[in-house]
Amino acid sequence: MIARVPSLAAAEVEQAVEAARRAFKSWSGLAAQERAKILRRWFELIVAHADDLAALMTAEQGKPLAEARGEVLYAASFIEWFAEEAKRVYGEVIPAPQADKRLVVLKQPVGVCAAITPWNFPAAMITRKAAPALAAGCVMIVKPAEQTPLTALALGVLAKEAGIPAGVLQIVTGEARTVGGVLTGSDVVRKLSFTGSTEVGRTLMAECAPTIKRLSLELGGNAPFIVFDDADLDAAVEGAIASKYRNAGQTCVCANRLYVQAGVFDAFAEKLAAKVAALPVGRGTEPGVQIGPLIDEAAVEKVESHLADALAKGARLVTGGQRHALGGLFFEPTVLAGATSDMRLAREETFGPVAPLFRFETEEEVIALANDTEFGLASYFYTENAKRAWRVAEALEYGMVGHNTGLISNEVAPFGGVKQSGLGREGSHHGIEEYLEVKYWCSALR
Ligand code: ADP
């Protein structure tokens, strides 16, 4: 344990909702320029405190310090972007079917919003929601994951220092069901934005049904990573490592299934295994470490059970495969060959440093395999053939597609999934729409 934080009772969360309701009027009444200026200051303060925030994040979450610092800057980028977007919320004037009518479309903030965020990106999952919300004129209550409240609270302190008024951005810590229950049950809260597992997302969606809340859901993934015979193999290996082993494999866009075409399978497996075996594992605070510990014992057990299931069904270890000699929550970066669709790791997110390699023969076959999942968040493929690139990008049933890259996320692009990976998009100019209502105003000139 590194710290204690308050565990709020339902009545205290209700007070937060009431404070948000009161703050909404004045915050939404500011000119977009003024909100933008305040958000810009928040961005600048986060950047100025990047090292301290990274240290806090590594302490509570475990990711290597350099990666934590990277997340802090990535988190800040959403605030910079949406501070700018605040000024570009345009309405419309529609040519009317009758000469004496004027048809106008106004964009107005949704109101009081809630966010429930996960532990794997303790800063970015908050700013990706709070920045567009505040930019649009909404106010937000954030419930961070129990595992990572400190980064969230630190962001809250900096928001206050930046001049974000009381009640506009509140961080409420505590037990998920108690805090979540008040937020989803309240009819003052008009929208919930959630990032986490599909299972919890489904529960929250049901809890929001009685009050018909707007929802943004960023849920689980089961990302395919496809390497065709005509790929640049070294680039594919590099991309696979970036996509699979970031945050020790604990991201919803991490490659979960690596499909490698028969002609390059052995060469790819060999190159990948050599690099993976050399990935430095250790405490996130040690220089040069690239793989930190997993978040908790349950996470390690899930990795172990996926591996045991795969090995029992005929998979073969190429490298790694067990808890790391360092003990604790460290796990060896692992590569597995001979993976097949009947294994648990083909259907569920492993959320750990395990790369299972599936062999395939044809493009048609691999598209069918890649799409054979209820998830549809991120997908990746490597090919040097431009025609194939278009065919594959269009055929993959995913919200996001990386071609010849394992890293796709940034503040200017729409992040989100299809199927049971979620609803809505975060980041980009689409991200702010999630926090805006469309009001149609019909005016007769009589
Ligand atoms: P993960 O697998 O990333 O831990 P979860 O979906 O379990 O994903 O958790 C994501 C967030 O959802 C966390 O902030 C967690 O506290 C919260 N959460 C989990 N269960 C509930 C619930 N029943 N009601 C409200 N929030 C919940």
Side-chain angles (χ1 to χ4, degrees):
M1 193 203 48
I2 57 168
R4 286 177 188 279
V5 297
S7 183
L8 299 189
E12 293 168 304
V13 183
E14 278 159 16
Q15 282 173 18
V17 173
E18 177 51 25
R21 192 188 62 75
R22 276 188 265 116
F24 174 62
K25 200 160 192 266
S26 49
W27 181 251
S28 59
L30 289 180
Q33 284 278 1
E34 293 172 77
R35 287 197 300 270
K37 265 189 207 147
I38 298 172
L39 286 171
R40 173 90 207 171
R41 278 205 293 276
W42 190 27
F43 158 75
E44 282 162 359
L45 284 171
I46 291 172
V47 172
H49 290 85
D51 288 338
D52 289 343
L53 287 165
L56 204 54
M57 190 187 295
T58 296
E60 67 176 349
Q61 199 270 348
K63 66 176 67 178
L65 205 49
E67 211 176 311
R69 197 171 190 285
E71 185 192 329
V72 170
L73 298 180
Y74 169 65
S77 75
F78 289 101
I79 304 175
E80 181 183 46
W81 168 261
F82 284 110
E84 293 157 357
E85 285 299 287
K87 297 177 269 184
R88 301 187 190 111
V89 175
Y90 303 120
E92 289 169 47
V93 179
I94 300 174
Q98 296 93 21
D100 65 345
K101 290 237 174 99
R102 297 294 178 268
L103 315 186
V104 178
V105 174
L106 302 177
K107 297 275 184 83
Q108 294 182 310
V110 166
V112 176
C113 301
I116 297 181
T117 58
W119 49 263
N120 60 344
F121 289 95
M125 294 307 100
I126 291 176
T127 58
R128 200 157 77 173
K129 300 178 189 311
L134 269 53
C138 296
V139 298
M140 184 168 257
I141 302 169
V142 179
K143 190 210 85 63
E146 293 92 317
Q147 296 92 332
T148 56
L150 301 181
T151 305
L153 291 168
L155 289 175
V157 168
L158 295 177
K160 193 172 171 197
E161 229 172 271
I164 294 178
V168 171
L169 177 68
Q170 301 180 83
I171 316 287
V172 291
T173 53
E175 201 266 320
R177 277 172 201 276
T178 308
V179 178
V182 173
L183 297 176
T184 55
S186 163
D187 59 5
V188 173
V189 177
R190 292 307 322 135
K191 176 186 170 97
L192 172 71
S193 178
F194 169 74
T195 298
S197 60
T198 295
E199 192 190 343
V200 172
R202 212 175 271 124
T203 304
L204 295 176
M205 198 173 182
E207 283 179 22
C208 288
T211 48
I212 318 284
K213 282 191 204 339
R214 283 187 53 168
L215 286 167
S216 296
L217 302 173
E218 299 289 355
L219 309 176
N222 181 4
F225 186 103
I226 305 167
V227 183
F228 287 101
D229 281 344
D230 55 15
D232 174 337
L233 270 201
D234 290 324
V237 166
E238 199 182 303
I241 289 178
S243 163
K244 175 72 253 182
Y245 296 96
R246 201 154 56 101
N247 206 6
Q250 304 171 108
T251 90
C252 51
V253 293
C254 277
N256 200 52
R257 300 168 287 157
L258 286 78
Y259 292 105
V260 188
Q261 203 160 8
V264 293
F265 188 94
D266 293 340
F268 179 83
E270 197 179 311
K271 277 174 190 270
L272 180 69
K275 292 241 162 142
V276 168
L279 288 173
V281 179
R283 283 179 168 272
T285 44
E286 282 165 25
V289 159
Q290 284 184 47
I291 308 279
L294 298 192
I295 191 72
D296 55 23
E297 181 59 28
V300 181
E301 282 169 12
K302 184 174 187 192
V303 169
E304 282 183 322
S305 72
H306 275 199
L307 275 176
D309 172 74
L311 293 171
K313 289 175 180 158
R316 175 173 60 82
L317 272 180
V318 187
T319 185
Q322 52 192 349
R323 287 176 190 249
H324 195 273
L326 286 170
L329 302 173
F330 295 100
F331 202 90
E332 291 178 348
T334 298
V335 177
L336 211 57
T340 49
S341 299
D342 58 335
M343 296 172 183
R344 276 182 67 197
L345 47 66
R347 315 228 66 90
E348 302 168 29
E349 252 181 325
T350 304
F351 237 60
V354 177
L357 306 183
F358 300 71
R359 186 189 292 263
F360 75 92
E361 302 286 341
T362 67
E363 182 182 313
E364 198 182 9
E365 174 196 2
V366 79
I367 294 294
L369 286 166
N371 288 340
D372 181 22
T373 168
E374 68 266 31
F375 298 107
L377 192 59
S379 57
Y380 310 87
F381 68 95
Y382 276 71
T383 179
E384 296 293 300
N385 178 323
K387 281 190 201 162
R388 167 174 276 164
W390 279 96
R391 277 197 309 270
V392 173
E394 288 176 3
L396 286 169
E397 295 167 358
Y398 287 83
M400 297 176 286
V401 183
H403 171 213
N404 291 348
T405 178
L407 296 175
I408 50 178
S409 179
N410 56 62
E411 77 281 16
V412 303
F415 186 105
V418 300
K419 293 158 85 176
Q420 294 183 32
S421 286
L423 298 173
R425 293 295 180 270
E426 295 189 317
S428 81
H429 69 93
H430 298 285
I432 201 163
E433 297 294 334
E434 304 275 320
Y435 296 92
L436 292 167
E437 292 287 4
V438 168
K439 182 183 281 176
Y440 162 48
W441 174 29
C442 177
S443 182
L445 306 177
R446 285 187 288 127

